């Protein structure tokens, strides 16, 4: 069986450029889709969550964490295991902006209401593949030549925590 290599972690500078590029497409106005991209990227990097965990989030999951002023977000991972992950101030601010300014416009396009936190252009739940494409497009706009995926953001999160002195 071939050995699998770990994804290369992005530098802190590359992550900052990626986060800035997620909310920009060169236009001066910020669209609902861009607010969604910022929330997606901040959630992935700010929590170290898997892409499937983030796209499976519902609005109620996040509103509970925001209204209770808890420091964590409950995620359902592989094997239906539930875990509490910290939700930092940048991710919290990005998600609040998305919920207030971005999500209502996309939710209005939906054929039927969805509880999904992150929405696509038609108002439905954002898919894993679409989220992957959005991250890759933001990396391209940021001028990052390394292979960037949602999992590389997860790996970067863990690496930066360890570099900052966090305990394993």
């Amino acid at each position: 069986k071939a050995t699998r290599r770990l994804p290369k972690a992005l530098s802190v500078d590359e992550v900052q450029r990626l986060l800035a590029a997620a909310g920009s497409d060169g236009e001066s106005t910020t669209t609902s889709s861009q607010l969604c991209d910022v929330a997606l990227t901040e959630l992935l990097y700010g929590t170290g969550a898997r892409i499937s965990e983030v796209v499976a989030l519902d609005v109620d999951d996040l509103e509970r964490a925001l209204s209770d002023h808890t420091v964590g977000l409950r995620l359902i991972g592989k094997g239906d295991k539930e875990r509490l992950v910290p939700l930092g101030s940048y991710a919290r601010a990005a998600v609040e902006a998305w919920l207030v300014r971005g999500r209502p416009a996309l939710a209005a396009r939906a054929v039927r209401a969805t509880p999904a936190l992150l929405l696509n252009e038609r108002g439905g739940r954002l898919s894993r593949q679409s989220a992957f494409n959005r991250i890759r497009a933001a990396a391209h706009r940021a001028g990052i030549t390394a292979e960037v995926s949602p999992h590389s953001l997860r790996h970067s999160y863990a690496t930066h925590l360890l570099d900052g002195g966090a305990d394993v």
Side-chain angles (χ1 to χ4, degrees):
K1 186 173 180 180
T3 58
R4 293 175 51 183
R5 62 174 184 80
L6 289 173
K8 185 179 180 296
L10 300 171
S11 69
V12 173
D13 177 60
E14 287 174 322
V15 170
Q16 288 173 339
R17 289 189 350 240
L18 177 68
L19 291 169
S24 170
D25 64 359
E27 301 292 321
S28 60
T29 58
T30 303
T31 65
S32 296
S33 183
Q34 290 168 329
L35 289 170
C36 182
D37 291 353
V38 171
L40 168 69
T41 309
E42 285 285 359
L43 280 170
L44 287 170
Y45 178 69
T47 62
R50 293 177 180 90
I51 187 63
S52 56
E53 294 170 336
V54 171
V55 297
L57 282 172
D58 289 337
V59 173
D60 290 344
D61 299 333
L62 208 53
E63 284 182 343
R64 198 171 315 120
L66 296 174
S67 66
D68 293 346
H69 299 292
T70 58
V71 294
L73 175 64
R74 246 176 243 297
L75 296 175
I76 307 297
K78 288 182 177 180
D80 283 336
K81 290 182 183 169
E82 191 174 292
R83 61 192 174 99
L84 187 65
V85 297
L87 184 63
S89 61
Y90 291 111
R92 184 181 299 263
V95 169
E96 286 174 344
W98 158 245
L99 287 173
V100 172
R101 297 187 353 241
R103 190 180 186 282
L106 292 181
R109 298 179 186 175
V111 174
R112 70 178 176 207
T114 178
L117 173 66
L118 300 173
L119 304 177
N120 61 27
E121 291 296 325
R122 294 179 309 280
R125 185 179 294 274
L126 189 67
S127 69
R128 284 179 58 248
Q129 188 61 44
S130 181
F132 182 91
N133 291 338
R134 287 176 178 217
I135 296 295
R136 186 165 277 169
H140 180 73
R141 285 192 306 272
I144 300 171
T145 57
E147 190 72 23
V148 177
S149 68
H151 194 73
S152 62
L153 284 175
R154 177 177 165 84
H155 190 70
S156 298
Y157 164 81
T159 301
H160 298 161
L161 279 178
L162 291 174
D163 290 346
D167 190 7
V168 176

